[in-house]
Amino acid sequence: QVQLQQSGPRLVKPSQTLSLTCAISGDSVSSNSAAWHWIRQSPSRGLEWLGKTYYRSKWYNDYAVSVKSRITINPDTSENQFSLQLNSVTPEDTAVYYCARETYFDTSGYDYFDYWGQGTLVTVSS
Amino acid sequence: DVVMTQSPLSLPVTLGQPASISCRSSQSLVYSDGNTYLNWFQQRPGQSPRRLIYKVSNRDSGVPDRFSGSGSGTDFTLKISRVEAEDVGVYYCMQHTHWPTTFGQGTKVEIK
């Protein structure tokens, strides 16, 4: 059974960096058939995909256009987890942030978001 | 980006009665590998989204068989054959055929 456990500060000041971690159990951040995503949810934007990291003989990242200049998603193989950093935050970045898993198999194709973290409400406020 | 449009946005239902949610995409969701990557999620109050259906009509493990998904191309439907109290929440469709992945705006199911 896969579990994703999120951690990180719930209050961030404007212009600072939002940082969250998603610890994985039951799978590996380095799996060649998985990818690890961050998604956020707010009343104004709904559910919004932010980006992902994945390993296919080397590490790749893919980011949403809306946050591309401010976002970094990094794997941490020693702790089997991955992180989200969002720079220069504003109150518009206030949202519940989720991590989630994607898998891919040649026989069945892509499989998105079968497992989610518990969510972290991050408030951007001074 | 592919726009996912759900209707209705609010769905009051009587216990034991059926419910149906529509999801339309602004482009066909058939991928080059032949799969149609349309998922349905349930989000109960205060919880993370839970996937119910993947690739249009495949039920996830542990999902009651009163939930079913159907559709093709740009037009998809989630049906609950007999609504139970535990089905209250917001339901989302999501596509991952086209980059970036996009979600519908959600349909709130409540008991009349």
Side-chain angles (χ1 to χ4, degrees), chain A residues 5 15 34 36 43 64 86 99 102 114:
Chain A
Q5 182 67 39
S15 80
W36 305 96
L86 190 64
C99 55
E102 169 201 340
D114 55 348

Side-chain angles (χ1 to χ4, degrees), chain A residues 10-122:
Chain A
R10 295 172 183 270
L11 180 62
V12 182
K13 289 182 166 50
S15 80
Q16 294 193 344
T17 297
L18 180 159
S19 296
L20 295 173
T21 298
C22 182
I24 303 163
S25 57
D27 201 344
S28 171
V29 71
S30 306
S31 168
N32 269 293
S33 59
W36 305 96
H37 296 247
W38 287 99
I39 299 149
R40 68 182 177 183
Q41 183 175 31
S42 65
S44 59
R45 294 174 175 261
L47 284 160
E48 179 187 15
W49 174 78
L50 298 177
K52 68 179 181 181
T53 189
Y54 57 103
Y55 185 77
R56 301 290 184 268
S57 302
K58 69 175 187 177
W59 287 102
Y60 294 87
N61 289 303
D62 185 21
Y63 300 135
V65 169
S66 61
V67 294
K68 187 165 187 171
S69 63
R70 301 191 291 131
I71 191 173
T72 304
I73 297 176
N74 280 326
D76 179 349
T77 56
S78 63
E79 297 290 336
N80 199 32
Q81 62 190 23
F82 63 108
S83 63
L84 167 69
Q85 288 193 314
L86 190 64
N87 302 326
S88 306
V89 296
T90 72
E92 287 280 301
D93 295 309
T94 294
V96 178
Y97 287 76
Y98 295 100
C99 55
R101 185 182 80 157
E102 169 201 340
T103 57
Y104 173 77
F105 297 100
D106 288 342
T107 53
S108 57
Y110 296 90
D111 194 17
Y112 268 47
F113 307 161
D114 55 348
Y115 292 97
W116 294 64
Q118 79 274 26
T120 303
L121 173 58
V122 179

